[in-house]
Amino acid sequence: MPDRSRVAVLISGRGSNMAALIYASRAASCPYEIVLVTGDRPDAPGLTLAEAEDVPVARLPAPAKGKDLFFAALQQTLEEARVDLIALAGFMRILPAHFVAKWAGRIINIHPSLLPKHKGLKTHAACIAAGDRVSGATVHLVSEELDSGEILGQVEVAVLPDDDDQALADRVLIAEHQLYPRILAEYASRPFDAAWIERQVDGLARRLPEVGRKTSHGSPGWSAGGEKGKLFAIIADQHHGEDAIGLLIKASGLDEMTGLIETQPDKYYWPKYYGVSGWLGLKMNRRDVDWGEVEDWLERSWRACAPHRLTKLMRAAEDF
Ligand code: GAR
């Protein structure tokens, strides 16, 4: 099992979702650990609870004393704690664009409505006023636009005829406490999930012309020039006792392969059996996979394997 993802929870108040994340992380099988709780209110009750639970807490000066100062201090604190993911749990402050960009794909939020419905504040009152029969909660990635990033998971909660916003909020909160730890665990596990990796590679590979699917000794692969074409990429999921879930691609030759493997052993490896046939292994079960780089490798490998008629067409299109 890979190391657990290091999660910082950001709160502004009570911190009941934070508590749900902490208690779920106590299970030995949980793929994340809470390494820091902090927020924009040094007096938030949730911080006291986290301290009592022996979770490291940083009481940062409130942003009222300088927003830039606050986010600079937050950034430093997160870096010192070597945080992989940030979980917002009732953090009632809009993050500046530069902060969101720095942590792109690594900030998760919980919102008490079925997004895209009822963004922003007073969601329960808005839900009742709209006459909705169902409400719920959403866990999503944070993007620059408020409450609009990719939805990772949702749970529905029935609205009862005599619900007021407090009664509804209380019930949605119970659902939030179930949803958030589950979705955070799924998200933390994603980089190590071979099926998820394969779906991402498939999405990128299919952008290339005439790509087919076929297998190589049972491993999923992609071929250039349709299903009958030559394989240009293979996923080797911990083959023959290897640690890596590897994407095997064609480099220019043995010199390039050995150079890459020697200088960047965290990223590249010599795949058993496949290495001798010129396949280079790119380790995909890492938190810091650069998908732009994966796309470049797929294209290079495709070019090396595609039939002449296709590469000629590609070159003609590029020269145009
Ligand atoms: C939760 O209901 C959370 O979904 C909501 O604040 C509450 C915090 O409670 N968040 C938002 O409205 C974010 N826009 P908690 O401090 O007990 O977790």
Side-chain angles (χ1 to χ4, degrees):
M1 198 166 110
D3 291 346
R4 306 212 281 169
S5 291
R6 299 173 63 81
V7 174
V9 184
L10 267 55
I11 63 170
S12 297
R14 169 179 62 179
S16 71
N17 276 291
M18 168 211 77
L21 295 176
I22 291 174
Y23 299 137
S25 76
R26 301 254 161 98
S29 60
C30 185
Y32 67 81
E33 59 181 318
I34 308 297
V35 295
L36 175 71
V37 176
T38 186
D40 60 338
R41 277 188 41 205
D43 59 345
L47 297 181
T48 308
L49 172 58
E51 274 164 352
E53 295 292 356
D54 280 336
V55 177
V57 165
R59 290 182 193 266
L60 301 176
K65 297 194 176 142
K67 205 167 154 233
D68 291 348
L69 223 63
F70 170 78
F71 280 100
L74 177 62
Q75 177 64 32
Q76 193 185 341
T77 309
L78 294 167
E79 280 172 15
E80 279 167 9
R82 291 180 294 110
V83 162
D84 297 313
L85 296 171
I86 300 172
L88 307 182
F91 183 69
M92 299 311 223
R93 185 163 290 273
I94 292 177
L95 301 170
H98 66 84
F99 186 89
V100 175
K102 186 145 200 134
W103 291 89
R106 298 199 287 152
I107 314 176
I108 295 157
N109 182 40
I110 186 153
H111 183 78
S113 80
L114 292 177
L115 288 174
K117 275 190 159 180
H118 312 309
K119 297 178 179 179
L121 298 174
K122 301 200 165 77
T123 51
H124 306 296
C127 172
I128 290 168
D132 295 351
R133 310 258 309 261
V134 242
S135 184
T138 304
V139 173
H140 63 97
L141 286 180
V142 172
S143 62
E144 224 179 281
E145 201 187 329
L146 184 71
D147 298 331
S148 299
E150 180 191 332
I151 291 176
L152 301 175
Q154 291 186 308
V155 59
E156 291 188 353
V157 173
V159 180
L160 301 182
D162 56 354
D163 267 345
D164 60 14
D165 50 356
Q166 190 55 53
L168 181 57
D170 290 347
R171 233 168 33 259
V172 169
L173 193 65
I174 298 172
E176 290 183 45
H177 295 166
Q178 306 296 314
L179 180 73
Y180 208 178
R182 177 165 65 79
I183 301 299
L184 180 59
E186 276 175 24
Y187 194 68
S189 306
R190 247 191 199 185
F192 312 101
D193 174 356
W196 182 81
I197 292 170
E198 185 184 334
R199 283 198 298 279
Q200 308 315 301
V201 171
D202 190 56
L204 295 177
R206 283 176 190 278
R207 291 185 190 165
L208 295 160
E210 289 191 36
V211 164
R213 293 298 309 258
K214 65 185 199 186
T215 55
S216 160
H217 303 283
S219 296
W222 292 263
S223 49
E227 256 131 58
K228 297 215 169 69
K230 212 166 145 189
L231 276 166
F232 70 94
I234 300 166
I235 285 190
D237 180 6
Q238 296 168 311
H239 253 194
H240 305 287
E242 288 166 344
D243 290 335
I245 300 177
L247 175 64
L248 312 188
I249 44 271
K250 292 278 182 178
S252 60
L254 288 187
D255 283 352
E256 187 187 17
M257 283 169 69
T258 26
L260 289 170
I261 295 163
E262 271 170 22
T263 55
Q264 300 174 72
D266 292 343
K267 211 152 113 182
Y268 296 102
Y269 72 105
W270 179 266
K272 278 186 194 159
Y273 304 105
Y274 282 100
V276 284
S277 336
W279 290 99
L280 171 66
L282 177 59
K283 294 180 189 173
M284 302 299 286
N285 46 341
R286 296 179 290 133
R287 287 194 178 83
D288 55 350
V289 169
D290 175 346
W291 287 96
E293 192 176 53
V294 174
E295 189 170 12
D296 291 345
W297 268 119
L298 288 168
E299 187 185 326
R300 260 189 74 178
S301 194
W302 180 91
R303 279 176 192 270
C305 302
H308 187 58
R309 70 175 170 87
L310 282 182
T311 46
K312 210 168 82 185
L313 273 179
M314 191 104 154
R315 269 197 300 274
E318 280 162 1
D319 291 345
F320 187 67

